[in-house]
Amino acid sequence: MGACSSPPRLAAVPRDRTGRASVLGLPNERFLYLEDAAAVDAEFQAAGRRELALRGLGPRAPLPMTNLLAVSGGGEDGAFGAGLLCGWSELGTRPAFNLVTGVSTGALTAPFAFLGPAYDGALRDVYTNVTLADIAESRGVVAAIFDDALSDTTPLYRTISRHLDETMLAALARAYDEGRLLLIGTTNLDAQIPVVWNIGAIARSGDPRALDLIRRILLASAAVPGAFPPVMIDVEVDGERFQEMHVDGGAFAQAFLYPPAVGEARQARRRRGEPVREVRAWMIRNARLDPGWASVDRRTLGIAGRAISTMIFASGFNDVLRLYNRTQQDRIDFNLAYIGADFTTELKEPFDQGYMRALFDYGYRQGRAGYRWAKAPPLARLQQTT
């Protein structure tokens, strides 16, 4: 019976102390996006000041264009975004991004996208040379009852660690000093809230735990509940030790840029006549935006599985609309990339290497040729014409 007991864990953070929990003790190591909008805006402003200081510009100087990139979840379909970024580099017009955000498979892409074309080789390797064996190992059917997931993601942690080493950690810290931000989303399953991790600040901290923490954050952001185990993160509150359970950031949102309050602060600065930067937002949706047809078996598991996949599709589509509407309110130029209906290769099994290579090449060809970024989601365009 002992062998069939649930995996152990420390106590979860009490509800009324969630906001005070910390891993490394840094005041800006992470944000509760639904509650910490003022702190997020302050972090954005501080990043802007670091950039101006680096450029030797005063606080009232004309501000350069800001480029924001959001990379969504999508599992194997992350190969699309990876290929698009690499092709964009070959074209020679890919900007250096001031902010990069990532969720789930997007979290695995985001550090490479953030550090620029010099890391395209590693990005290509992650999405074209891995197989299921590099991602997870099956625990067997019994794990569904007695364990915390159907598979073990130790292989994925090793894959992440192979690329995210001390050299890459130092590069992330330097980018933070330059006034650029890399934010990764996870879901705190105990508290049912999204958590956004400030990767550059963690890398810059000099804490010996920083490298392992960042690796575990990326692992957590990609931890699909049920299929992959959650990542348990040790925290402290008022000197007491607790443990948080973190899973796929896509459980809450499959893509994000900034909280509404940050946009409202931007609008307020414009009304006061303060300098406001021109901003371009780029969103890579690692999925299709047209519904995928399937003949559903009239069986409980088939119906339930199809319903879940439909909810995931709808959630991702709604995230695209949410980001589009937010940027329009804040007068930010919106640009969207997604997998088109012309990609017809079928996924035969999880993390099928042939599928991922074909999708990477599909994205790469379009990026190198000059991807025609959509200025609005398909549904929004339809609404504008009716």
Side-chain angles (χ1 to χ4, degrees):
M1 291 298 292
C4 295
S5 60
S6 299
R9 63 164 296 178
L10 296 180
V13 179
R15 180 194 300 268
D16 60 346
R17 302 167 75 182
T18 299
R20 304 207 306 276
S22 176
V23 183
L24 303 182
L26 304 176
N28 63 339
E29 68 188 15
R30 62 183 187 172
F31 307 101
L32 308 184
Y33 245 41
L34 297 182
E35 305 170 16
D36 293 346
V40 177
D41 186 54
E43 185 69 15
F44 283 12
Q45 295 305 310
R49 290 192 292 272
R50 291 196 300 276
E51 182 191 0
L52 291 177
L54 180 71
R55 294 172 179 266
L57 300 175
R60 303 292 296 186
L63 300 171
M65 172 71 73
T66 294
N67 287 281
L68 317 179
L69 173 66
V71 189
S72 84
E76 303 90 342
D77 288 343
F80 166 71
L84 179 66
L85 287 164
C86 290
W88 198 359
S89 295
E90 285 288 326
L91 181 64
T93 59
R94 176 176 154 188
F97 298 108
N98 303 76
L99 168 71
V100 177
T101 68
V103 173
S104 195
T105 193
L108 304 180
T109 299
F112 303 114
F114 180 67
L115 293 177
Y119 282 81
D120 282 358
L123 180 59
R124 178 190 293 267
D125 180 67
V126 168
Y127 282 97
T128 62
N129 291 327
V130 300
T131 63
L132 180 58
D134 299 300
I135 304 296
E137 296 174 347
S138 175
R139 289 174 170 171
V141 178
V142 177
I145 302 173
F146 298 111
D147 219 322
D148 58 0
L150 290 171
S151 60
D152 177 3
T153 50
T154 298
L156 178 56
Y157 181 82
R158 289 196 295 262
T159 298
I160 293 170
S161 301
R162 187 171 69 250
H163 295 287
L164 184 53
D165 54 13
E166 292 285 355
T167 300
M168 193 170 182
L169 184 75
L172 293 171
R174 287 194 299 271
Y176 182 78
D177 284 339
E178 294 168 359
R180 300 168 56 221
L181 297 175
L182 171 60
L183 305 178
I184 299 298
T186 66
T187 299
N188 181 333
L189 208 55
D190 295 315
Q192 285 190 323
I193 56 174
V195 177
V196 172
W197 298 83
N198 193 355
I199 302 299
I202 295 171
R204 183 66 178 80
S205 69
D207 192 296
R209 299 168 291 174
L211 181 57
D212 179 67
L213 176 59
I214 295 173
R215 290 168 172 171
R216 288 168 58 78
I217 290 168
L218 300 186
L219 185 66
S221 188
V224 180
F228 294 166
V231 174
M232 307 306 298
I233 295 181
D234 294 336
V235 298
E236 285 194 8
V237 185
D238 304 327
E240 292 185 65
R241 293 181 63 239
F242 298 95
Q243 210 168 44
E244 297 175 342
M245 180 181 289
H246 285 259
V247 299
D248 192 337
F252 204 93
Q254 294 179 37
F256 70 97
L257 275 174
Y258 54 84
V262 171
E264 292 164 5
R266 170 184 166 86
Q267 294 174 29
R269 286 190 287 273
R270 179 182 283 112
R271 289 193 296 269
R272 292 194 298 266
E274 298 176 5
V276 177
R277 304 179 74 156
E278 292 298 316
V279 179
R280 288 182 299 197
W282 309 87
M283 181 180 183
I284 297 177
R285 173 64 181 143
N286 287 310
R288 299 167 66 116
L289 291 182
D290 58 315
W293 184 92
S295 177
V296 182
D297 290 338
R298 192 174 177 179
R299 296 178 182 275
T300 301
L301 292 180
I303 294 170
R306 182 63 172 173
I308 291 171
S309 66
T310 300
M311 287 188 286
I312 292 172
F313 168 79
S315 173
F317 195 95
N318 288 336
D319 285 334
V320 173
L321 291 177
R322 173 176 53 80
L323 265 61
Y324 169 72
N325 290 330
R326 182 74 257 170
T327 56
Q328 298 313 288
Q329 293 176 28
D330 298 333
R331 301 185 192 178
I332 290 175
D333 181 40
F334 180 82
N335 301 271
L336 172 67
Y338 56 93
I339 302 172
D342 56 331
F343 181 75
T344 57
T345 302
E346 295 185 6
L347 179 67
K348 298 178 180 178
E349 59 184 5
F351 300 97
D352 174 11
Q353 191 178 78
Y355 172 88
M356 293 175 68
R357 286 178 173 177
L359 185 53
F360 180 95
D361 289 343
Y362 169 82
Y364 177 83
R365 289 194 304 271
Q366 295 195 63
R368 188 176 183 182
Y371 186 82
R372 298 181 61 183
W373 294 82
K375 305 304 292 184
L379 180 58
R381 294 201 300 269
L382 178 62
Q383 292 173 336
Q384 292 170 354
T385 59
T386 57

